[in-house]
Amino acid sequence: QVQLVESGGGLVQPGGSLRLSCAASTSTFSQSLLGWYRQAPGKKRAWVASISTGNFPVYADSVKGRFTISRDNAKTTVYLQMNRLKAEDTAVYYCVLDISGRTYWGQGTQVTVSS
């Protein structure tokens, strides 16, 4: 089974930056669709960003221009660079990997934006 290990979450001031990482165990990483979701308290889980096997990124309107998703196939790792963070970005962030009709989720990492 594919394992996803996330890191990089934490507490940051409004306007600050964080970089989330998600390392995957699968040898089929380069053929996988990758993405990030988040879930704020009292809200449904929401899609944030995705990146294709062709390295094409797409973003939710709420984060466009502030967040950047990227992938490193050699390291089998997907990243989410978050800049100009707002209090509304506070949530548990999850990475997701789709391969061969299966979907795998990371354990989630807390991001808190507060002064």
Side-chain angles (χ1 to χ4, degrees):
Q1 185 174 326
V2 173
Q3 300 291 325
L4 302 173
V5 181
E6 302 180 6
S7 61
L11 175 65
V12 65
Q13 298 287 312
S17 297
L18 283 175
R19 190 192 194 199
L20 306 183
S21 300
C22 178
S25 64
T26 179
S27 62
T28 62
F29 183 89
S30 63
Q31 298 104 62
S32 302
L33 178 66
L34 305 167
W36 291 90
Y37 284 71
R38 67 186 182 185
Q39 187 166 23
K43 296 187 177 180
K44 296 174 62 177
R45 188 172 298 186
W47 171 73
V48 174
S50 297
I51 189 163
S52 69
T53 58
N55 213 29
F56 181 78
V58 290
Y59 302 94
D61 288 343
S62 58
V63 306
K64 191 182 295 290
R66 299 188 297 120
F67 290 12
T68 303
I69 187 172
S70 61
R71 65 192 295 163
D72 187 332
N73 289 337
K75 296 181 178 179
T76 65
T77 300
V78 60
Y79 305 94
L80 186 69
Q81 177 67 48
M82 305 183 294
N83 298 325
R84 300 184 299 282
L85 283 160
K86 307 174 181 179
E88 307 94 275
D89 296 318
T90 295
V92 178
Y93 284 71
Y94 301 87
C95 66
V96 63
L97 180 153
D98 292 331
I99 184 69
S100 300
R102 303 288 187 185
T103 301
Y104 301 90
W105 293 86
Q107 79 283 358
T109 185
Q110 177 71 48
V111 172
T112 302
V113 185
S114 177
S115 57

